[in-house]
Amino acid sequence: MVLAGGRILSGRPVGRDGALVDAVAIEVDGQIGSGRVIQVLACLVAVRGAPKYLRSDNGPEFIARALLKWITAHGIGTALIDPGKPWQNGVGESFNGKFRDECLNLEWFRSRAEAKVVIEQWRRHYNEVRSHSSLGYLTPAEFVAKINAAPNDATGQGAAIAGASAPWPVAPPIQTGSNRERAHP
């Protein structure tokens, strides 16, 4: 299970598309059920606050009643990805590809303990050392620090650092054509 790139967290640094910019957790184990997912999410919520939404696929660990009950109790909405439509989570899929190419495909783990150590080292490198073109060639840690230091308003430098200040247009598009073509009241 990879818990990374969740959707729009209240008061948390987000990239231009509304996704988190850092890999918040990578859990390594043979089988990860809903109980373990809840345990990891509870730790993340305690440290970072509750997200507005949890975006996930329809794997059994993510649609289990216990998890759905837990996220509802914490006021977290669900944003399930339709089966067979990974493009609905482009940021997560992009991260998974980088994780696979830069870590998993390069390692031959002799034990689960070794995998946990190596994968956590890669996650820290991804967040603290590796610059990201989508973040203006900053590391996620640098980007988060820059966002936290910027004024928290919808306009000005804070909005410019984070990209768009609104997730969708706030005004209707400008109509084209001559004034004669439009009906006047």
Side-chain angles (χ1 to χ4, degrees):
M1 170 181 76
V2 175
L3 295 175
R7 290 300 277 180
I8 308 174
L9 292 182
S10 302
R12 304 305 316 161
V14 295
R16 278 181 236 131
D17 61 356
L20 283 174
V21 298
D22 54 344
V24 294
I26 301 176
E27 192 65 20
V28 178
D29 211 336
Q31 286 187 329
I32 299 175
S34 62
R36 183 69 183 133
V37 172
I38 292 169
Q39 196 175 27
V40 172
L41 288 174
C43 290
L44 292 172
V45 167
V47 172
R48 299 177 67 117
K52 289 183 181 180
Y53 301 99
L54 174 65
R55 179 174 299 278
S56 70
D57 61 19
N58 287 290
E61 69 278 15
F62 288 110
I63 60 171
R65 286 191 180 128
L67 179 63
L68 296 175
K69 184 177 176 182
W70 185 87
I71 63 174
T72 301
H74 287 80
I76 302 170
T78 58
L80 297 176
I81 300 163
D82 293 328
K85 296 186 178 178
W87 56 84
Q88 292 177 344
N89 186 22
V91 172
E93 292 299 320
S94 176
F95 174 83
N96 289 342
K98 288 175 181 67
F99 178 49
R100 191 177 317 104
D101 292 344
E102 298 173 11
C103 182
L104 298 179
N105 290 347
L106 301 177
E107 300 290 339
W108 184 269
F109 303 113
R110 292 169 289 209
S111 68
R112 194 168 293 149
E114 180 187 17
K116 288 180 180 186
V117 169
V118 169
I119 289 170
E120 179 58 18
Q121 287 173 340
W122 181 87
R123 188 188 71 79
R124 288 178 183 257
H125 181 270
Y126 179 88
N127 287 337
E128 299 166 9
V129 177
R130 183 184 183 274
S131 62
H132 298 250
S133 60
S134 64
L135 303 177
Y137 296 95
L138 298 173
T139 67
E142 292 167 335
F143 185 82
V144 167
K146 195 170 185 178
I147 292 293
N148 287 338
N152 196 15
D153 58 3
T155 60
Q157 183 183 8
I161 292 170
S165 60
W168 52 81
V170 293
I174 298 173
Q175 295 180 357
T176 58
S178 70
N179 287 337
R180 289 185 184 158
E181 293 173 352
R182 293 189 207 129
H184 293 284

